[in-house]
């Protein structure tokens, strides 16, 4: 049954059908499926498939846009369930989160933000297409302990380095730690730009954020 549901979830994203993806997300809640299971083994399978097809020239921009919208619709339904997963009492740290300038991919970044919130972090999500100036300005304004930057394009990942260089120039590290992520981000890249940490997924991002802020035991 759950295998079947996961397949239907993936298919709803491939079809770019937001009504069906939202409905299947509701169904998964009724069936008490773990929301991360639904996202990772259901919806993400569909969006990855469309991404691959797009990369090969077998799918086109409208399909990519519709798949993205269907993903957002499903995640919006599951978000309250994700937030319920966390029951942390203490605030673990303040995170300014953004997708870097020139990049409008928001799904993974938002998921990371939701998981961080669920785990006890206060998250200020600036949204997408955010310049180094805005990210650093907000981090200073709210006295953030951590900046989290997502980049999904090989052409925009360089923006992560810009923010780190600017923080270094202003002498703001290690007061503000930096975590990066996104599909093209590798360990090599992280070492090269001297980020403090990175993760391949949202669950890992929580672990890394805790480690960076010395809260690993919570
Ligand atoms: Co775009 N896109 N896209 N896209 N898109 C990719 C990234 C691409 C790989 C597709 C492909 O060609 N195969 C390709 C990039 C190629 C490259 O750079 N090498 C691509 C392209 C080319 C483009 C455009 C240039 C297309 C065009 O216009 N010709 C354009 C760029 C627009 C721009 O940003 N300026 C574009 C546009 C779009 C849409 C707007 C249509 C849509 C986004 C909708 C939205 O976000 N509202 C879209 C989509 C949906 C995708 C794919 C298919 C899926 C991305 C996604 O949401 N994945 C993507 C293909 C792919 O990645 N396989 C693709 C699901 C999400 C849960 O995963 O975002 O990876 P992800 O996040 C993960 C981890 O990466 C990690 O945790 C998350 C949860 O597990 N993570 C972090 C992410 N951020 C993190 C931060 C952290 C830690 C972990 O710490 C701070």
């Amino acid at each position: 049954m759950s295998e079947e549901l996961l397949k239907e979830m993936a298919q709803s994203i491939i079809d770019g059908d937001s009504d069906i993806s939202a409905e299947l997300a509701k169904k998964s809640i009724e069936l008490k499926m773990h929301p991360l299971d639904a996202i990772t083994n259901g919806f993400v399978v569909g969006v990855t498939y469309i991404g691959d097809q797009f990369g090969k020239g077998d799918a086109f921009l409208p399909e990519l846009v519709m798949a993205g919208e269907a993903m957002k619709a499903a995640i919006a339904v599951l978000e309250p369930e994700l937030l319920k997963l966390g029951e942390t009492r203490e605030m673990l740290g303040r995170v300014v989160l953004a997708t870097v300038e020139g990049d409008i991919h928001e799904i993974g970044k938002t998921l990371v933000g939701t998981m961080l919130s669920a785990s006890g972090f206060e998250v200020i999500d600036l949204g997408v297409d955010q310049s180094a100036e805005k990210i650093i300005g907000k981090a200073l304004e709210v006295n953030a302990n951590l900046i989290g930057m997502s980049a999904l394009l090989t052409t925009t990942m360089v923006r992560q380095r810009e923010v780190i260089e600017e923080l270094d120039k202003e002498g703001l590290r290690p007061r503000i730690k930096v975590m990066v992520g996104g599909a093209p981000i590798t360990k090599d890249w992280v070492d090269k730009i001297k980020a403090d940490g990175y993760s391949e997924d949202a669950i890992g991002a929580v672990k890394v954020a805790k480690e960076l802020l010395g809260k690993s035991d919570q």
Side-chain angles (χ1 to χ4, degrees):
M1 175 64 207
S2 81
E3 277 302 308
E4 195 51 41
L5 182 56
L6 291 171
K7 273 194 197 146
E8 286 176 37
M9 287 169 166
Q11 193 58 47
S12 70
I13 304 299
I14 295 167
D15 295 340
D17 194 325
S18 301
D19 291 340
I20 305 258
S21 67
E23 213 166 279
L24 292 170
K26 281 182 203 148
K27 193 167 164 186
S28 75
I29 297 171
E30 280 159 24
L31 293 173
K32 305 209 180 317
M33 181 183 276
H34 195 290
L36 278 175
D37 189 20
I39 292 171
T40 314
N41 300 318
F43 298 115
V44 166
V45 174
V47 85
T48 304
Y49 176 81
I50 283 290
D52 290 347
Q53 293 293 102
F54 180 78
K56 287 191 276 182
D58 290 337
F60 301 96
L61 196 55
E63 283 144 290
L64 203 62
V65 173
M66 285 173 74
E69 289 302 314
M71 273 301 284
K72 278 170 57 184
I75 288 180
V77 172
L78 293 172
E79 191 172 22
E81 299 304 306
L82 288 170
L83 289 171
K84 275 189 220 158
L85 293 176
E87 283 171 26
T88 317
R89 299 88 357 213
E90 188 201 342
M91 206 271 274
L92 298 182
R94 190 167 289 132
V95 186
V96 165
L97 184 66
T99 300
V100 295
E101 189 169 11
D103 197 325
I104 60 167
H105 294 86
E106 65 184 325
I107 296 165
K109 180 266 303 158
T110 304
L111 205 50
V112 167
T114 303
M115 291 313 295
L116 287 172
S117 298
S119 308
F121 290 89
E122 184 186 332
V123 178
I124 296 102
D125 186 341
L126 297 180
V128 298
D129 191 18
Q130 294 294 316
S131 66
E133 199 186 341
K134 283 204 190 130
I135 294 171
I136 296 172
K138 182 53 90 174
L140 289 175
E141 182 194 322
V142 302
N143 199 17
N145 320 90
L146 182 65
I147 287 177
M149 285 181 282
S150 184
L152 265 283
L153 299 171
T154 43
T155 47
T156 57
M157 55 197 262
V158 289
R159 302 287 181 187
Q160 296 178 335
R161 174 161 50 193
E162 267 177 30
V163 172
I164 290 174
E165 283 175 353
E166 195 55 35
L167 286 170
D168 277 335
K169 211 159 69 185
E170 300 294 325
L172 291 168
R173 292 171 84 201
R175 186 181 126 198
I176 305 175
K177 303 272 186 200
V178 178
M179 173 168 69
V180 294
I185 305 308
T186 60
K187 175 83 173 62
D188 277 356
W189 173 248
V190 174
D191 292 343
K192 198 166 168 183
I193 65 172
K194 300 189 177 64
D196 296 296
Y198 96 111
S199 162
E200 284 177 7
D201 57 33
I203 291 280
V206 172
K207 192 166 169 268
V208 171
K210 284 183 179 174
E211 278 164 11
L212 292 179
L213 301 188
K215 308 275 182 182
S216 295
D217 50 339
Q218 296 179 55

